[in-house]
Amino acid sequence: FRIDSAIQTGKLLFEVGLNFWLIGALDLGVAGFLMSMLAGEALTSLFLTGWVLLSLGPKIDWKILRPIFVYAAPLVPVGFCQLALHQVDRRLLLYFGEEGFAQSLTGIYGHGYKISYLVTAMVLSPFMQIWHPFIYGVEDESKRSHLVARVSTYAVLAITASTLGVIFFGRQAAILLAKDPAFWEAYKVIPLVAGGYVFWALYQVSQIPLFIAKRTMRLFFINLVAVGVNVGLNAWLIPRHGFVGAGTATIVTFAFLASLGMLASRSEAKVPFELGRIGSMVLCILGAGALALWVDAAHASAEMETWTALGAKAGGMMVTLLFLWVCVLHRDERSDARGWLRTRLGKRSG
């Protein structure tokens, strides 16, 4: 467990450093993020393979290899399906977008997508690196199911709270990161795509029981159906609503994917997901997105002054965070959170 944690930590630091170079210095965007992931996975695989070969010698035990192959083989098409879920919308925008404007619309959408994906890259990925090794070590099935349910709630809560900043101030980020005013229109999809990645986080946490039960083929079918839904929605919505249709397809697809993941885990491991609390967080995301889009539209049309718009969005964010604190967290959880915060602040001041 300690070796695996050390390897995963090293891999994470390597990928983050490579992200700064490829995305920040070379401005490769999503392609740079994917390249850093590929490099991290390749180096980790080579290191582990070399270490195993040096430790055990080059030999194959077919009795052991066969179940490993059955477990791992479906994950290859799962990876391609998930790559399509993250990338196919831009290809379909080029194909179905308004003639003569498809390329520029795709660029605007890509600008908004990169901003929306920021929270997932910074919060979800490191969390999953830690959560996976821990939950695999829990042998009691009942305890593991309840842990998955509770941690799913906490993970989605953390992602939701972090995503609110992107949703409410996505337009300001789009303006800050793009000199061309044409790209400022990306604010129209930021709440949609950012909200979609909250559902993506829920799917990532909820699918763990299927990995533990070695039901990876089921994961392939879930992702394949999600790709079909995504392609169908994009083909229907893009000709009618342009790049906003692509953003709508993203949030609906990821909500559908999260629902399938929870249903599969519930049937496989009887995971008692806290649907009431998860539903409250979904309503927060939808409400925050609607408010942000309304304020940004009024600001963009000069119907609302800049400071008025910023104040409205800051107030909306604070009210939403307060709702999450009071209505989603239980009293004992709020007490534990305050105690943890006091302890951390005490250690820092000491």
PDB file of all heavy atoms in Angstrom, residues 240-262:
ATOM      1  N   ARG A 240     -29.619  23.398 -33.850  1.00  0.00           N
ATOM      2  CA  ARG A 240     -30.653  24.299 -33.328  1.00  0.00           C
ATOM      3  C   ARG A 240     -30.085  25.388 -32.421  1.00  0.00           C
ATOM      4  O   ARG A 240     -30.593  26.509 -32.402  1.00  0.00           O
ATOM      5  CB  ARG A 240     -31.701  23.484 -32.555  1.00  0.00           C
ATOM      6  CG  ARG A 240     -32.520  22.561 -33.453  1.00  0.00           C
ATOM      7  CD  ARG A 240     -33.293  21.529 -32.644  1.00  0.00           C
ATOM      8  NE  ARG A 240     -34.169  20.717 -33.480  1.00  0.00           N
ATOM      9  CZ  ARG A 240     -33.759  19.702 -34.222  1.00  0.00           C
ATOM     10  NH1 ARG A 240     -32.466  19.380 -34.228  1.00  0.00           N
ATOM     11  NH2 ARG A 240     -34.608  19.017 -34.964  1.00  0.00           N
ATOM     12  N   HIS A 241     -29.057  25.045 -31.630  1.00  0.00           N
ATOM     13  CA  HIS A 241     -28.570  25.996 -30.620  1.00  0.00           C
ATOM     14  C   HIS A 241     -27.066  26.240 -30.687  1.00  0.00           C
ATOM     15  O   HIS A 241     -26.519  26.884 -29.782  1.00  0.00           O
ATOM     16  CB  HIS A 241     -28.942  25.491 -29.222  1.00  0.00           C
ATOM     17  CG  HIS A 241     -30.410  25.245 -29.047  1.00  0.00           C
ATOM     18  ND1 HIS A 241     -31.330  26.267 -28.962  1.00  0.00           N
ATOM     19  CD2 HIS A 241     -31.121  24.079 -28.960  1.00  0.00           C
ATOM     20  CE1 HIS A 241     -32.548  25.752 -28.810  1.00  0.00           C
ATOM     21  NE2 HIS A 241     -32.453  24.438 -28.815  1.00  0.00           N
ATOM     22  N   GLY A 242     -26.386  25.740 -31.685  1.00  0.00           N
ATOM     23  CA  GLY A 242     -24.958  25.985 -31.836  1.00  0.00           C
ATOM     24  C   GLY A 242     -24.140  25.409 -30.694  1.00  0.00           C
ATOM     25  O   GLY A 242     -24.422  24.310 -30.195  1.00  0.00           O
ATOM     26  N   PHE A 243     -23.116  26.147 -30.256  1.00  0.00           N
ATOM     27  CA  PHE A 243     -22.225  25.611 -29.224  1.00  0.00           C
ATOM     28  C   PHE A 243     -22.914  25.503 -27.866  1.00  0.00           C
ATOM     29  O   PHE A 243     -22.497  24.708 -27.021  1.00  0.00           O
ATOM     30  CB  PHE A 243     -20.940  26.439 -29.131  1.00  0.00           C
ATOM     31  CG  PHE A 243     -21.114  27.842 -28.633  1.00  0.00           C
ATOM     32  CD1 PHE A 243     -21.046  28.127 -27.281  1.00  0.00           C
ATOM     33  CD2 PHE A 243     -21.324  28.888 -29.516  1.00  0.00           C
ATOM     34  CE1 PHE A 243     -21.188  29.426 -26.816  1.00  0.00           C
ATOM     35  CE2 PHE A 243     -21.467  30.185 -29.062  1.00  0.00           C
ATOM     36  CZ  PHE A 243     -21.409  30.461 -27.707  1.00  0.00           C
ATOM     37  N   VAL A 244     -23.985  26.266 -27.640  1.00  0.00           N
ATOM     38  CA  VAL A 244     -24.753  26.093 -26.406  1.00  0.00           C
ATOM     39  C   VAL A 244     -25.436  24.725 -26.402  1.00  0.00           C
ATOM     40  O   VAL A 244     -25.574  24.089 -25.358  1.00  0.00           O
ATOM     41  CB  VAL A 244     -25.793  27.224 -26.254  1.00  0.00           C
ATOM     42  CG1 VAL A 244     -26.664  26.994 -25.032  1.00  0.00           C
ATOM     43  CG2 VAL A 244     -25.093  28.577 -26.157  1.00  0.00           C
ATOM     44  N   GLY A 245     -25.843  24.261 -27.582  1.00  0.00           N
ATOM     45  CA  GLY A 245     -26.398  22.907 -27.683  1.00  0.00           C
ATOM     46  C   GLY A 245     -25.388  21.845 -27.303  1.00  0.00           C
ATOM     47  O   GLY A 245     -25.733  20.850 -26.660  1.00  0.00           O
ATOM     48  N   ALA A 246     -24.113  22.056 -27.679  1.00  0.00           N
ATOM     49  CA  ALA A 246     -23.062  21.105 -27.298  1.00  0.00           C
ATOM     50  C   ALA A 246     -22.870  21.090 -25.788  1.00  0.00           C
ATOM     51  O   ALA A 246     -22.676  20.024 -25.182  1.00  0.00           O
ATOM     52  CB  ALA A 246     -21.758  21.460 -28.000  1.00  0.00           C
ATOM     53  N   GLY A 247     -22.923  22.264 -25.159  1.00  0.00           N
ATOM     54  CA  GLY A 247     -22.815  22.325 -23.696  1.00  0.00           C
ATOM     55  C   GLY A 247     -23.981  21.642 -23.011  1.00  0.00           C
ATOM     56  O   GLY A 247     -23.813  20.939 -22.003  1.00  0.00           O
ATOM     57  N   THR A 248     -25.172  21.825 -23.556  1.00  0.00           N
ATOM     58  CA  THR A 248     -26.352  21.154 -23.002  1.00  0.00           C
ATOM     59  C   THR A 248     -26.228  19.645 -23.125  1.00  0.00           C
ATOM     60  O   THR A 248     -26.576  18.899 -22.201  1.00  0.00           O
ATOM     61  CB  THR A 248     -27.624  21.641 -23.724  1.00  0.00           C
ATOM     62  OG1 THR A 248     -27.700  23.069 -23.647  1.00  0.00           O
ATOM     63  CG2 THR A 248     -28.864  21.031 -23.103  1.00  0.00           C
ATOM     64  N   ALA A 249     -25.727  19.184 -24.270  1.00  0.00           N
ATOM     65  CA  ALA A 249     -25.518  17.744 -24.465  1.00  0.00           C
ATOM     66  C   ALA A 249     -24.536  17.196 -23.442  1.00  0.00           C
ATOM     67  O   ALA A 249     -24.690  16.070 -22.954  1.00  0.00           O
ATOM     68  CB  ALA A 249     -25.020  17.479 -25.888  1.00  0.00           C
ATOM     69  N   THR A 250     -23.517  17.984 -23.085  1.00  0.00           N
ATOM     70  CA  THR A 250     -22.515  17.538 -22.115  1.00  0.00           C
ATOM     71  C   THR A 250     -23.129  17.311 -20.739  1.00  0.00           C
ATOM     72  O   THR A 250     -22.931  16.257 -20.122  1.00  0.00           O
ATOM     73  CB  THR A 250     -21.376  18.565 -22.020  1.00  0.00           C
ATOM     74  OG1 THR A 250     -20.696  18.634 -23.275  1.00  0.00           O
ATOM     75  CG2 THR A 250     -20.382  18.184 -20.938  1.00  0.00           C
ATOM     76  N   ILE A 251     -23.886  18.285 -20.241  1.00  0.00           N
ATOM     77  CA  ILE A 251     -24.435  18.141 -18.886  1.00  0.00           C
ATOM     78  C   ILE A 251     -25.485  17.032 -18.844  1.00  0.00           C
ATOM     79  O   ILE A 251     -25.538  16.264 -17.879  1.00  0.00           O
ATOM     80  CB  ILE A 251     -25.012  19.481 -18.374  1.00  0.00           C
ATOM     81  CG1 ILE A 251     -25.377  19.350 -16.888  1.00  0.00           C
ATOM     82  CG2 ILE A 251     -26.191  19.955 -19.201  1.00  0.00           C
ATOM     83  CD1 ILE A 251     -25.747  20.674 -16.234  1.00  0.00           C
ATOM     84  N   VAL A 252     -26.298  16.905 -19.892  1.00  0.00           N
ATOM     85  CA  VAL A 252     -27.314  15.837 -19.902  1.00  0.00           C
ATOM     86  C   VAL A 252     -26.644  14.469 -19.988  1.00  0.00           C
ATOM     87  O   VAL A 252     -27.035  13.521 -19.294  1.00  0.00           O
ATOM     88  CB  VAL A 252     -28.294  16.047 -21.072  1.00  0.00           C
ATOM     89  CG1 VAL A 252     -29.252  14.857 -21.184  1.00  0.00           C
ATOM     90  CG2 VAL A 252     -29.099  17.334 -20.869  1.00  0.00           C
ATOM     91  N   THR A 253     -25.613  14.345 -20.825  1.00  0.00           N
ATOM     92  CA  THR A 253     -24.916  13.058 -20.969  1.00  0.00           C
ATOM     93  C   THR A 253     -24.260  12.626 -19.668  1.00  0.00           C
ATOM     94  O   THR A 253     -24.376  11.474 -19.245  1.00  0.00           O
ATOM     95  CB  THR A 253     -23.855  13.146 -22.077  1.00  0.00           C
ATOM     96  OG1 THR A 253     -24.480  13.456 -23.309  1.00  0.00           O
ATOM     97  CG2 THR A 253     -23.104  11.826 -22.209  1.00  0.00           C
ATOM     98  N   PHE A 254     -23.572  13.549 -19.005  1.00  0.00           N
ATOM     99  CA  PHE A 254     -22.886  13.194 -17.763  1.00  0.00           C
ATOM    100  C   PHE A 254     -23.881  12.901 -16.636  1.00  0.00           C
ATOM    101  O   PHE A 254     -23.606  12.060 -15.772  1.00  0.00           O
ATOM    102  CB  PHE A 254     -21.918  14.287 -17.356  1.00  0.00           C
ATOM    103  CG  PHE A 254     -20.657  14.318 -18.192  1.00  0.00           C
ATOM    104  CD1 PHE A 254     -19.818  15.427 -18.177  1.00  0.00           C
ATOM    105  CD2 PHE A 254     -20.311  13.256 -18.997  1.00  0.00           C
ATOM    106  CE1 PHE A 254     -18.660  15.450 -18.933  1.00  0.00           C
ATOM    107  CE2 PHE A 254     -19.164  13.271 -19.766  1.00  0.00           C
ATOM    108  CZ  PHE A 254     -18.327  14.373 -19.733  1.00  0.00           C
ATOM    109  N   ALA A 255     -25.032  13.573 -16.634  1.00  0.00           N
ATOM    110  CA  ALA A 255     -26.072  13.242 -15.661  1.00  0.00           C
ATOM    111  C   ALA A 255     -26.596  11.833 -15.911  1.00  0.00           C
ATOM    112  O   ALA A 255     -26.808  11.053 -14.976  1.00  0.00           O
ATOM    113  CB  ALA A 255     -27.212  14.260 -15.742  1.00  0.00           C
ATOM    114  N   PHE A 256     -26.777  11.486 -17.177  1.00  0.00           N
ATOM    115  CA  PHE A 256     -27.228  10.148 -17.545  1.00  0.00           C
ATOM    116  C   PHE A 256     -26.176   9.098 -17.166  1.00  0.00           C
ATOM    117  O   PHE A 256     -26.508   8.037 -16.616  1.00  0.00           O
ATOM    118  CB  PHE A 256     -27.492  10.109 -19.054  1.00  0.00           C
ATOM    119  CG  PHE A 256     -27.902   8.770 -19.593  1.00  0.00           C
ATOM    120  CD1 PHE A 256     -29.176   8.263 -19.338  1.00  0.00           C
ATOM    121  CD2 PHE A 256     -27.026   8.015 -20.351  1.00  0.00           C
ATOM    122  CE1 PHE A 256     -29.553   7.030 -19.834  1.00  0.00           C
ATOM    123  CE2 PHE A 256     -27.389   6.779 -20.849  1.00  0.00           C
ATOM    124  CZ  PHE A 256     -28.666   6.283 -20.592  1.00  0.00           C
ATOM    125  N   LEU A 257     -24.904   9.411 -17.405  1.00  0.00           N
ATOM    126  CA  LEU A 257     -23.818   8.495 -17.066  1.00  0.00           C
ATOM    127  C   LEU A 257     -23.741   8.262 -15.569  1.00  0.00           C
ATOM    128  O   LEU A 257     -23.572   7.121 -15.108  1.00  0.00           O
ATOM    129  CB  LEU A 257     -22.495   9.059 -17.589  1.00  0.00           C
ATOM    130  CG  LEU A 257     -21.237   8.223 -17.368  1.00  0.00           C
ATOM    131  CD1 LEU A 257     -21.311   6.921 -18.143  1.00  0.00           C
ATOM    132  CD2 LEU A 257     -19.997   9.024 -17.790  1.00  0.00           C
ATOM    133  N   ALA A 258     -23.867   9.343 -14.771  1.00  0.00           N
ATOM    134  CA  ALA A 258     -23.835   9.203 -13.316  1.00  0.00           C
ATOM    135  C   ALA A 258     -25.002   8.359 -12.821  1.00  0.00           C
ATOM    136  O   ALA A 258     -24.842   7.531 -11.909  1.00  0.00           O
ATOM    137  CB  ALA A 258     -23.872  10.583 -12.660  1.00  0.00           C
ATOM    138  N   SER A 259     -26.172   8.533 -13.429  1.00  0.00           N
ATOM    139  CA  SER A 259     -27.340   7.738 -13.037  1.00  0.00           C
ATOM    140  C   SER A 259     -27.115   6.260 -13.321  1.00  0.00           C
ATOM    141  O   SER A 259     -27.427   5.402 -12.483  1.00  0.00           O
ATOM    142  CB  SER A 259     -28.578   8.230 -13.788  1.00  0.00           C
ATOM    143  OG  SER A 259     -28.845   9.588 -13.498  1.00  0.00           O
ATOM    144  N   LEU A 260     -26.557   5.951 -14.490  1.00  0.00           N
ATOM    145  CA  LEU A 260     -26.267   4.551 -14.819  1.00  0.00           C
ATOM    146  C   LEU A 260     -25.229   3.969 -13.855  1.00  0.00           C
ATOM    147  O   LEU A 260     -25.348   2.811 -13.428  1.00  0.00           O
ATOM    148  CB  LEU A 260     -25.758   4.441 -16.257  1.00  0.00           C
ATOM    149  CG  LEU A 260     -26.762   4.694 -17.381  1.00  0.00           C
ATOM    150  CD1 LEU A 260     -26.090   4.484 -18.738  1.00  0.00           C
ATOM    151  CD2 LEU A 260     -27.972   3.776 -17.255  1.00  0.00           C
ATOM    152  N   GLY A 261     -24.204   4.762 -13.524  1.00  0.00           N
ATOM    153  CA  GLY A 261     -23.181   4.280 -12.601  1.00  0.00           C
ATOM    154  C   GLY A 261     -23.745   3.983 -11.223  1.00  0.00           C
ATOM    155  O   GLY A 261     -23.419   2.949 -10.611  1.00  0.00           O
ATOM    156  N   MET A 262     -24.617   4.852 -10.720  1.00  0.00           N
ATOM    157  CA  MET A 262     -25.211   4.622  -9.405  1.00  0.00           C
ATOM    158  C   MET A 262     -26.155   3.427  -9.426  1.00  0.00           C
ATOM    159  O   MET A 262     -26.182   2.626  -8.481  1.00  0.00           O
ATOM    160  CB  MET A 262     -25.942   5.882  -8.940  1.00  0.00           C
ATOM    161  CG  MET A 262     -25.015   6.996  -8.515  1.00  0.00           C
ATOM    162  SD  MET A 262     -25.860   8.313  -7.579  1.00  0.00           S
ATOM    163  CE  MET A 262     -26.988   8.914  -8.812  1.00  0.00           C
TER     164      MET A 262
END
